[in-house]
Amino acid sequence: MANLLDWNTLEHRLAAFLDPENGIDKPQKAFPILMVATILGISEEDASDAITDGAKDRGVDAIVVDENHGNVVHIFQFKCADKFENAKKNFPSSEIDKLATYIAEMLDMDATLKQTCNPILWNKTQEIWEAMNKPGVEFKIHFCGNMLEMTADEKARASAVFRKYRQFTIQHYSLDSIVKLFLDNNKPKVDFTLTAVDKDYFDRTDGNVRGLICSVEAGEIIRMVTSPEDALKVREEIFNDNVRVYLSSSNKINKKIIESALSEDKSLFWYLNNGITITCDSFSYLKGRRAPQIELKNVQIVNGGQTSHALFEAAQQKTADLSDVLVLVRIIETKSEAFSLSIAESTNSQTPIKGRDLRSNDEIQKRIESGFAAVDYFYERKQNQWSDKPKARRIDAFECGQAFAAYHLGKPEIAKKDRGRIYSDLYDTVFTEDLTINELLCSFLLLREIDKLKKTVQSAIRNGSLDDPQEIFLIDGAFHVLYTVRLLAAKKNLDPSDFPTVKKQIRPAINLVKKIVSDKMSNDETFSFNRFFKDSETSKLIFAAI
């Protein structure tokens, strides 16, 4: 049930997302951005780009096509109450049918949608169609409001409407469940006693590092990760040092983990699963004994978070029998933070990881943070690391790397579509020893200026007041405009790290890219902004034009 404490918690979160300069001037406009970012674990900028709300939105408030965790299309509908009294009402279901009509036409790939959708929604629709041409597409509909969920009857009606489509699931969010997403993980250290299976263990020591490999019953892992306060919840503090969050049972790999643990061949789980890696300050046990009890101090599961959560979820099923499921466990005793980081990085391979998280404690990232601090900026090595600081002074490491790759390395299409490479194979190319804070800061600030213009376009589309429809390309083409600014600066022999000077090239860059886009659109009836700016040939067209 909604209460005033939850309401105030959400209000404070929304206040941090207000951005009057870019049209986000009230909580009702900030709410969709905050929720998309929170639910999907994406950046505020990406969440903002997902918003389709406004005139001709067809009952769709946001769309995200997620290719990082499978091939998943997220479709959102939001309702944001303006005062606490209204938070006690149920989520209105009046637009279910409007949403259903859009989805039916979208799945039918009806080209007339272009006339009935706003430009942002039409662009997202084309992106969905591209995803549908790839194998294994899934759809998730999110009904999200700072109030109570739909009534039981309306939830059943919503399920009935979309049940006819395969690969569709529905998620409902209330004020209560939203605030639970915000819970802080600052919790005490965890000590635990783990029982090994028989004599299936091996112990070794190398200097100040000790290791123990053993087999344990799945029930031991479930007991370790279960909250002492609530048997239906996971003890999340045990995963604080894990480089990623749980991707939920809807993730394909995690589905397979659950299926494997519950299958007739569950006795083979030990062979099919990578197991779990634990770090701790110390461990002790009586050697030579069968099924020894291992005392662990300050336990952290640094790899195997997906396995642990999946086993926990499997155990929640009434018919679950995990008695024959064994799990391989590796325990490492170390007090070295650097070595713990290496363990987390090297052992995580079973599920795709955010490279930015793996690199967050690299020495060069810490030096960059220190360098930005010297010029009064807060560099966020980890996502939302400085959430309590003014937004204008915060610099997200991922966005900073994207801006540098587009501006200084001339790779705008990678910054847009393959940005994960910035923290993988391109990491040492972007974050070199010769990198200067001015180079990083200038490219980031230029991108921020371009994004302001992009948000003006987005706001105008939602308000039905767009003066120049040709500038819609900015929604997908911001990195290419940034790349163009760099080319223009080079042509005019300007210092590329002198922000006040090169900033003047933004408008000429927009006009140049706009002309290229206009020419391509006039010669291609199936033109798609998303596809055009993912194509490596686009940057070559810009280079040739300059």
Side-chain angles (χ1 to χ4, degrees), residues 95 143 149 243 296 315 370 470 485 511:
E95 294 201 358
F143 294 107
E149 293 181 3
V243 296
L296 304 169
S370 177
Q470 288 189 329
V485 170
N511 292 338

Side-chain angles (χ1 to χ4, degrees), residues 154-418:
E154 289 303 300
K155 286 173 74 172
R157 185 170 78 86
S159 295
V161 168
F162 300 106
R163 189 180 297 135
K164 59 186 175 182
Y165 304 121
R166 293 189 296 275
Q167 306 301 327
F168 266 72
T169 57
I170 298 176
Q171 179 70 51
H172 298 268
Y173 302 86
S174 64
L175 175 59
D176 179 60
S177 63
I178 287 169
V179 171
K180 285 179 181 177
L181 293 173
F182 301 148
L183 289 177
D184 189 2
N185 281 333
N186 292 330
K187 297 176 181 177
K189 294 181 178 180
V190 177
D191 298 334
F192 192 77
T193 301
L194 196 65
T195 302
V197 172
D198 200 45
K199 285 191 173 182
D200 292 348
Y201 57 89
F202 169 75
D203 188 338
R204 69 170 291 148
T205 302
D206 290 281
N208 60 354
V209 179
R210 292 178 64 210
L212 176 66
I213 297 175
C214 60
S215 298
V216 304
E217 294 180 354
E220 287 290 286
I221 302 301
I222 294 164
R223 188 168 63 87
M224 182 167 60
V225 302
T226 300
S227 169
E229 288 79 31
D230 188 340
L232 298 179
K233 293 181 180 178
V234 168
R235 190 204 302 248
E236 295 295 350
E237 65 268 26
I238 208 168
F239 301 99
N240 282 349
D241 287 354
N242 202 302
V243 296
R244 58 167 164 252
V245 296
Y246 180 52
L247 301 177
S248 88
S249 59
S250 61
N251 176 268
K252 290 181 179 180
I253 293 175
N254 298 332
K255 279 183 180 179
K256 289 182 179 179
I257 295 174
I258 294 174
E259 290 170 1
S260 175
L262 298 177
S263 71
E264 293 182 359
D265 295 327
K266 58 188 175 183
S267 60
L268 300 178
F269 187 88
W270 189 94
Y271 301 94
L272 299 173
N273 186 270
N274 286 348
I276 292 170
T277 301
I278 294 171
T279 60
C280 61
D281 288 349
S282 66
F283 69 81
S284 61
Y285 67 100
L286 292 177
K287 294 183 179 181
R289 286 198 175 186
R290 292 186 179 276
Q293 291 192 324
I294 307 164
E295 301 283 344
L296 304 169
K297 298 296 183 182
N298 191 18
V299 181
Q300 284 292 304
I301 296 177
V302 296
N303 175 256
Q306 311 305 313
T307 296
S308 305
H309 280 79
L311 288 172
F312 178 86
E313 289 195 18
Q316 303 304 308
Q317 301 184 26
K318 293 181 180 179
T319 59
D321 179 8
L322 301 176
S323 58
D324 293 331
V325 177
L326 297 182
V327 182
L328 177 67
V329 174
R330 190 159 63 137
I331 301 169
I332 300 173
E333 175 187 306
T334 178
K335 293 181 175 64
S336 168
E337 183 179 345
F339 189 61
S340 293
L341 175 65
S342 298
I343 295 168
E345 179 173 350
S346 62
T347 58
N348 277 284
S349 60
Q350 189 173 11
T351 304
I353 319 158
K354 294 178 180 178
R356 171 249 187 88
D357 293 332
L358 288 177
R359 302 287 192 171
S360 60
N361 288 327
D362 280 3
E363 188 61 34
I364 191 168
Q365 293 296 318
K366 292 178 180 179
R367 290 209 303 270
I368 292 171
E369 180 183 13
S370 177
F372 273 118
V375 291
D376 198 26
Y377 280 95
F378 299 93
Y379 181 73
E380 297 185 308
R381 294 180 287 112
K382 301 177 182 180
Q383 190 169 345
N384 295 322
Q385 179 182 351
W386 298 108
S387 58
D388 58 331
K389 303 301 181 184
K391 185 181 296 185
R393 310 305 298 181
R394 291 165 57 190
I395 295 182
D396 180 80
F398 213 134
E399 292 176 19
C400 193
Q402 284 178 285
F404 186 88
Y407 186 69
H408 285 289
L409 300 184
K411 300 180 183 295
E413 67 283 349
I414 287 177
K416 176 175 173 57
K417 72 167 183 176
D418 287 329

Side-chain angles (χ1 to χ4, degrees), residues 412-430:
E413 67 283 349
I414 287 177
K416 176 175 173 57
K417 72 167 183 176
D418 287 329
R419 59 185 186 175
R421 292 182 59 192
I422 294 168
Y423 279 84
S424 57
D425 64 299
L426 290 178
Y427 183 79
D428 292 330
T429 304
V430 175

Side-chain angles (χ1 to χ4, degrees), residues 102-115:
Y102 163 78
I103 287 176
E105 293 176 14
M106 179 271 293
L107 292 176
D108 198 35
M109 300 189 80
D110 187 344
T112 62
L113 271 169
K114 185 175 183 178
Q115 280 72 53

